[in-house]
Amino acid sequence: MAPVVDVHTHIYPPAYVSLLRSRTDVPYMRTFADNPSAGERLVILPSEDAATSTARGRPIGPEYYEEEEKIKFMDKHNIDISVISLANPWLDWCDASDAASVATQINDDVEQVCSRHPGRLYAFGTLPLSAGADAVVAEIKRLTTLSHFRGVIIGTSGLGNGLDDPALEPIWAALQSTKQLVFLHPHYGLPASVYGDRAAEYGHVLPLALGFPLETTIAITRAILSGVFDKFPGLEMLLAHSGGTLPFLAGRIESCIAHDGHLKQASKIAGRRSIWDILKANIYLDAVVYGEAGLKAAMEASGKDRLMFGTDHPFFPPLEDEDNEWLSVKTNEKAVSGVFGSDDQGRDDVMGGNAVRVLRLG
Amino acid sequence: MAPVVDVHTHIYPPAYVSLLRSRTDVPYMRTFADNPSAGERLVILPSEDAATSTARGRPIGPEYYEEEEKIKFMDKHNIDISVISLANPWLDWCDASDAASVATQINDDVEQVCSRHPGRLYAFGTLPLSAGADAVVAEIKRLTTLSHFRGVIIGTSGLGNGLDDPALEPIWAALQSTKQLVFLHPHYGLPASVYGDRAAEYGHVLPLALGFPLETTIAITRAILSGVFDKFPGLEMLLAHSGGTLPFLAGRIESCIAHDGHLKQASKIAGRRSIWDILKANIYLDAVVYGEAGLKAAMEASGKDRLMFGTDHPFFPPLEDEDNEWLSVKTNEKAVSGVFGSDDQGRDDVMGGNAVRVLRLG
């Protein structure tokens, strides 16, 4: 049986935690003097930087930054290997002059964390996006000298203008030539106006459940439409949350392209690769979609050899402390088992075999 | 074999066309003096009201307003029955004092169109939304006296504040008590900022392929979170485009609710119906999702007895005039056949049997 691998699991390494604690603007970490019982809080979005329906920001504890908590979580859920990545918001907010050294520090920290747990931890690297393409390319090349990195995590804004920005081309080229996977992850969500006046009544549900995956869907669609995968046919991306909603909407996107008079006039239709082709050649999906309905679409879109189990740890912890295993993890495991039924090989591949092969683990 | 039924097919009846031709603000219809060769154009969104990458607005011809064109299209594609609805943007832009009489005129027009084609045409009614809840309820009641109406079409903004607006409650109550289905359809999309600077290069793909279904997803999720289906357990909605992306995201929404500390504190978690329950009791999905990946998720979410074939005619016509059958229609038919394989009964139910039963056709 293949090992169980978690490809979607986050950590804030020491260098990043120090940085967040030293800051007073979003993103930052602090215990608020007017509400010390809420403990240390992490504020990563401007919209969280005020006490509204909930306490400011979100609680943050050792599970976010202590490597031993990651290992304990893995042991509890029978996860053999985790491919850890810095949780959002990464470094696009960082002063351009600091970004390169901060990224280096973070990646070196993460390399040491992985080294202390041989065979259990690998990583996706953090890029100094605010410092521009040259600095990013330099860090991508340096990551190949660190033995535990298998790719990089990036947000949907890229260098600030989205993933259809031509300024990203040297970065795509460097990732393609060094065979490093891009783990694409949301952070910004959608403009708050779309959620209406009652959004606060629904806790964090609308921005988290909808904003995140819709952001990912828009970002990857812009990348596809701009021809990123035609220019860089060897570029590979792993999409968070089973692609946002890309598997479900791929057919509609493809149909809209095929029926668009403007694209036809601009000769952008004939000869292009379809989204279905790109999904099966350049894109991997995690299996973090919390149900069989989504997972079936993801599997149909990407193929069962391109789907990889993940947990999104340490996010979505149980609300009841006494819970032993995490509901969020069990929901995703159960969906994988449900979809594969008696196909043990297919289930094992999604639970870890695909990640071992694609990410060259172990 | 059950008849083939198209539940998602639009028309602009004579009363609406006259109104659009009489207007100079969005929405309106006109032939532009500076570009007469582009023919008569329909401008329904503010963003289309300028010549940018394409000619202003979109071409509009007899297929939008001539009932014979609808019948010809049905005959060409072996569609036995169509349940026609006014295409967006309906009447939320209408002067409040005119809205009730305009809605009455439109619905009377549509009733006559249906009467001229016995057994072939039924309809979803148009509501005078800008006139407020009382006028809307009055028209809902009046629709029960017209023999071809089986429900109403509404946009995602409701009375202007979205589908979680308590002011809609008398409307939901009237629809529930008269057993009329709500066909929920997008129109507004998302704020243009999310598409980035290069959006115009991609024709209409981003707002149509993503904006529409994401708008629907947000609207129905807000309705569910606000408890509409708990308060009106007999209310039934048919969601356009297979629910936007609701089938794919239902698991994530459910998980976010279950893990939300604020909702738990407000005692909004215990005892509630899950989204999966609501999908199988209150929601129907059309099968307008252009691929097996999306359709599998839709079927898993709603059950094969709640999925209904549609075409979105007259939108997405072939780009080549010489095409006989429409690619957009064939793509959806092929997806249904592909998903059902040898399950002829299941395929026939989706292609028409479910609509006959749910909408009491024939």
Side-chain angles (χ1 to χ4, degrees):
Chain A
M1 208 175 102
V4 172
V5 181
D6 180 356
V7 301
H8 188 156
T9 180
H10 300 295
I11 197 164
Y12 290 126
Y16 198 72
V17 170
S18 307
L19 188 63
L20 291 177
R21 285 189 175 138
S22 73
R23 290 173 53 83
T24 52
D25 292 332
V26 172
Y28 65 92
M29 273 169 68
R30 192 184 319 162
T31 303
F32 292 100
D34 58 353
N35 193 5
S37 68
E40 191 169 26
R41 312 288 291 183
L42 169 67
V43 186
I44 54 177
L45 288 171
S47 62
E48 299 173 324
D49 197 18
T52 54
S53 64
T54 53
R56 202 183 290 201
R58 59 192 78 190
I60 185 165
E63 68 279 11
Y64 283 80
Y65 45 79
E66 295 282 2
E67 61 195 81
E68 291 306 332
E69 294 293 321
K70 183 68 74 188
I71 300 292
K72 265 201 267 179
F73 168 82
M74 291 166 64
D75 291 343
K76 183 189 281 180
H77 296 90
N78 300 311
I79 293 165
D80 298 297
I81 302 175
S82 287
V83 186
I84 57 178
S85 50
L86 186 68
N88 47 310
W90 315 291
L91 295 180
D92 47 359
W93 47 269
C94 205
D95 280 347
S97 56
D98 294 340
S101 69
V102 171
T104 300
Q105 258 188 294
I106 289 172
N107 290 327
D108 287 347
D109 263 13
V110 168
E111 175 68 13
Q112 285 181 31
V113 169
C114 294
S115 298
R116 284 193 287 270
H117 304 276
R120 306 265 345 242
L121 298 181
Y122 293 85
F124 294 123
T126 300
L127 298 176
L129 290 164
S130 59
D134 288 351
V136 171
V137 168
E139 188 63 13
I140 287 170
K141 289 186 178 158
R142 197 184 74 89
L143 285 174
T144 63
T145 68
L146 305 177
S147 64
H148 292 90
F149 285 88
R150 293 298 184 269
V152 298
I153 186 166
I154 65 166
T156 61
S157 71
L159 292 166
N161 293 312
L163 300 189
D164 52 0
D165 179 359
L168 287 163
E169 291 187 3
I171 297 173
W172 302 138
L175 289 163
Q176 176 178 263
S177 70
T178 59
K179 294 190 193 313
Q180 293 190 77
L181 194 76
V182 180
F183 181 25
L184 176 62
H185 195 289
H187 167 65
Y188 301 94
L190 296 176
S193 62
V194 302
Y195 302 128
D197 299 336
R198 300 183 63 185
E201 292 179 44
Y202 316 136
H204 294 111
V205 173
L206 290 171
L208 266 188
L210 304 187
F212 263 36
L214 304 188
E215 174 193 351
T216 304
T217 308
I218 296 167
I220 184 67
T221 305
R222 285 171 57 181
I224 291 169
L225 289 170
S226 74
V228 164
F229 296 104
D230 300 312
K231 236 177 194 158
F232 303 97
L235 180 66
E236 300 197 309
M237 283 196 196
L238 167 65
L239 307 186
H241 314 118
S242 293
T245 64
L246 184 67
F248 192 83
L249 290 180
R252 183 173 174 88
I253 299 166
E254 191 57 28
S255 179
C256 284
I257 294 171
H259 289 93
D260 196 280
H262 171 69
L263 290 183
K264 186 181 151 70
Q265 235 174 359
S267 301
K268 288 190 177 172
I269 292 184
R272 77 195 165 84
R273 288 164 71 207
S274 79
I275 294 198
W276 302 116
D277 291 340
I278 292 169
L279 272 160
K280 290 198 159 65
N282 301 89
I283 288 177
Y284 300 95
L285 303 173
D286 72 25
V288 184
V289 68
Y290 308 95
E292 289 187 36
L295 202 59
K296 280 184 177 176
M299 197 163 76
E300 178 74 27
S302 75
K304 64 183 179 179
D305 56 333
R306 307 181 72 83
L307 204 56
M308 307 183 207
F309 178 70
T311 64
D312 219 345
H313 180 260
F315 298 99
F316 305 111
L319 291 183
E320 310 288 346
D321 292 340
E322 62 272 24
D323 279 359
N324 194 23
E325 290 186 292
W326 287 31
L327 173 66
S328 54
V329 178
K330 301 311 289 179
T331 303
N332 282 316
E333 277 177 1
K334 208 177 130 197
V336 174
S337 297
V339 164
F340 281 99
S342 59
D343 176 5
D344 289 345
Q345 181 67 51
R347 190 198 59 225
D348 289 354
D349 286 349
V350 172
M351 292 304 292
N354 292 336
V356 167
R357 184 188 79 247
V358 172
L359 299 171
R360 309 179 299 279
L361 307 180
Chain B
M1 207 175 100
V4 172
V5 181
D6 181 356
V7 300
H8 187 157
T9 180
H10 300 295
I11 197 164
Y12 290 126
Y16 197 73
V17 170
S18 308
L19 189 62
L20 290 177
R21 284 189 175 137
S22 74
R23 290 172 53 82
T24 52
D25 292 331
V26 173
Y28 66 92
M29 271 168 69
R30 191 183 319 162
T31 303
F32 292 99
D34 58 353
N35 192 4
S37 68
E40 190 169 27
R41 311 288 291 182
L42 170 66
V43 185
I44 53 177
L45 288 171
S47 61
E48 298 173 325
D49 197 18
T52 53
S53 63
T54 52
R56 205 184 287 202
R58 58 191 79 191
I60 185 165
E63 69 278 14
Y64 283 80
Y65 45 78
E66 295 283 1
E67 61 196 81
E68 291 306 332
E69 293 292 322
K70 182 70 74 189
I71 300 292
K72 264 201 267 179
F73 168 82
M74 290 166 63
D75 290 344
K76 182 187 284 181
H77 295 90
N78 300 309
I79 293 166
D80 299 297
I81 302 174
S82 287
V83 187
I84 58 178
S85 49
L86 186 68
N88 46 310
W90 313 292
L91 295 179
D92 46 0
W93 49 268
C94 206
D95 280 347
S97 56
D98 295 340
S101 69
V102 172
T104 300
Q105 259 187 293
I106 288 172
N107 290 328
D108 286 347
D109 263 13
V110 168
E111 175 68 13
Q112 285 180 30
V113 169
C114 294
S115 298
R116 284 193 287 269
H117 304 276
R120 305 259 355 235
L121 298 182
Y122 293 85
F124 295 122
T126 299
L127 298 177
L129 290 164
S130 58
D134 288 351
V136 172
V137 168
E139 187 63 14
I140 288 169
K141 289 185 178 157
R142 197 184 75 88
L143 286 174
T144 63
T145 68
L146 305 177
S147 64
H148 293 90
F149 285 86
R150 293 297 183 270
V152 298
I153 187 167
I154 63 165
T156 60
S157 70
L159 292 166
N161 292 311
L163 300 189
D164 51 359
D165 179 359
L168 287 163
E169 290 187 4
I171 297 174
W172 302 139
L175 290 163
Q176 177 178 264
S177 71
T178 60
K179 295 191 194 310
Q180 293 189 76
L181 194 76
V182 179
F183 181 24
L184 176 62
H185 195 289
H187 167 65
Y188 301 94
L190 296 177
S193 62
V194 303
Y195 302 129
D197 299 336
R198 299 183 62 184
E201 292 178 45
Y202 317 136
H204 294 111
V205 174
L206 290 171
L208 267 187
L210 304 187
F212 263 35
L214 304 189
E215 174 193 352
T216 304
T217 308
I218 295 167
I220 185 65
T221 305
R222 285 171 56 181
I224 292 170
L225 289 171
S226 74
V228 165
F229 296 104
D230 300 311
K231 235 175 194 159
F232 304 98
L235 181 65
E236 299 197 309
M237 284 197 196
L238 167 64
L239 306 186
H241 314 116
S242 293
T245 63
L246 185 67
F248 192 83
L249 291 180
R252 184 174 173 88
I253 299 166
E254 190 58 27
S255 180
C256 284
I257 296 171
H259 288 93
D260 197 280
H262 171 70
L263 290 182
K264 187 180 152 67
Q265 237 175 356
S267 302
K268 288 191 177 172
I269 292 185
R272 75 195 167 85
R273 289 164 71 207
S274 80
I275 293 198
W276 301 116
D277 292 341
I278 292 169
L279 272 161
K280 290 197 159 66
N282 301 90
I283 289 177
Y284 300 95
L285 303 173
D286 72 24
V288 184
V289 68
Y290 307 96
E292 290 188 36
L295 202 60
K296 281 186 177 176
M299 197 165 75
E300 177 74 26
S302 75
K304 64 184 180 181
D305 57 332
R306 306 182 73 82
L307 205 55
M308 307 183 206
F309 178 70
T311 64
D312 219 345
H313 179 260
F315 299 100
F316 306 109
L319 291 183
E320 310 287 347
D321 292 340
E322 61 272 24
D323 279 359
N324 194 23
E325 291 186 292
W326 288 29
L327 172 67
S328 55
V329 178
K330 301 310 289 179
T331 303
N332 282 316
E333 279 178 1
K334 209 177 129 197
V336 174
S337 296
V339 163
F340 281 99
S342 59
D343 176 4
D344 290 345
Q345 181 67 51
R347 192 199 56 224
D348 289 355
D349 286 349
V350 171
M351 291 304 294
N354 292 336
V356 168
R357 183 189 80 247
V358 172
L359 298 171
R360 310 177 300 278
L361 307 180

